[in-house]
Amino acid sequence: MPYPLGTNPDTHHKPEKSLHHRAKDLPNVLNHGLLVPFPPEEALRVDIDSRFSTVYGYPSSGGFLVLPICNDVDLAFLQLSRVESWLRDVHRHTGAEDLHCARMRQLGAWWFRSHRYYRMLACTEQGRYYLDRKQRVIAAWPENTDKKGGVWILVLKNARAASDIPLGRLYNALSMDERCEVVKSLGGTFYSDPKACRDLEL
């Protein structure tokens, strides 16, 4: 089994830690590009770093979901903590995990074949080049009862396209309804039937 760099495998002992402490340690290892194969029960659900939050999902259909650059509105929609990195419950019922993944897809999550593959992309220059050119979908779901049933969508073809619009307005929105207004003002498209939006894999 690989160990963190600078560690002697003969003397290395992994201390028992609570989920809270292990979740805090994992982003540090991952962000330094040390591809340590943690067991499934230690897979991250939310990674909160110095600038953004990233959410992960593990659908029963296979693969791995990533929702990068989440703000408070995204985390509230996903029913996740806004202040703590934490781990997924490996004993969680498959239906509950798939429900979480369905909510991630509603926000435009990316799909990859595995968590390890995504981390390898994030830790190499060529991989980051690829991620910078992935399409991002900003989704805003109306909370107002009179307007429920549809979704506002803003599609950013790549990181360059994202730099051409004031994304700070989106990240500063305090609710989904406020995000809807921002997406509308930035030229977003409203779909009365969310499944008609080809940019969301619902």
Side-chain angles (χ1 to χ4, degrees):
M1 168 183 176
Y3 290 85
L5 295 182
T7 300
N8 184 342
D10 296 328
T11 59
H12 176 74
H13 297 285
K14 181 180 177 182
E16 290 292 328
K17 293 186 178 183
S18 66
L19 289 182
H20 169 76
H21 285 95
R22 281 185 285 162
K24 290 176 65 178
D25 289 346
L26 282 173
N28 295 329
V29 175
L30 294 176
N31 289 338
H32 282 81
L34 308 183
L35 300 178
V36 181
F38 292 103
E41 64 268 25
E42 292 187 348
L44 277 170
R45 166 70 74 225
V46 183
D47 181 1
I48 301 177
D49 63 20
S50 60
R51 295 193 303 163
F52 302 112
S53 300
T54 303
V55 177
Y56 306 115
Y58 307 80
S60 62
S61 56
F64 172 69
L65 295 181
V66 178
L67 191 63
I69 317 181
C70 296
N71 69 351
D72 292 357
V73 175
D74 297 306
L75 295 173
F77 185 86
L78 296 171
Q79 302 175 20
L80 299 173
S81 170
R82 295 179 290 108
V83 296
E84 294 286 351
S85 294
W86 58 290
L87 310 178
R88 73 185 181 104
D89 182 1
V90 70
H91 302 297
R92 196 180 194 196
H93 189 273
T94 300
E97 182 67 19
D98 282 344
L99 180 60
H100 166 74
C101 291
R103 286 195 293 264
M104 288 184 65
R105 289 190 180 94
Q106 286 181 278
L107 296 178
W110 292 340
W111 183 92
F112 296 92
R113 61 173 179 257
S114 70
H115 191 167
R116 168 172 280 272
Y117 177 70
Y118 169 72
R119 292 311 311 181
M120 289 177 66
L121 289 174
C123 293
T124 64
E125 182 177 353
Q126 184 178 6
R128 288 190 294 270
Y129 180 88
Y130 168 75
L131 293 176
D132 282 345
R133 279 149 183 78
K134 277 187 69 66
Q135 175 174 287
R136 285 198 58 212
V137 177
I138 307 296
W141 295 83
E143 297 174 322
N144 187 299
T145 304
D146 296 332
K147 298 180 180 179
K148 280 188 174 180
V151 61
W152 281 96
I153 296 293
L154 181 65
V155 178
L156 308 175
K157 294 300 183 183
N158 49 47
R160 181 180 294 276
S163 66
D164 293 335
I165 64 174
L167 283 182
R169 294 176 57 195
L170 285 168
Y171 299 135
N172 289 340
L174 298 178
S175 68
M176 271 295 180
D177 281 339
E178 192 170 18
R179 177 184 284 186
C180 288
E181 294 302 317
V182 176
V183 169
K184 180 179 178 180
S185 70
L186 293 176
T189 302
F190 180 75
Y191 293 87
S192 56
D193 179 6
K195 291 185 178 180
C197 177
R198 296 182 178 180
D199 296 301
L200 286 181
E201 298 181 3
L202 301 178

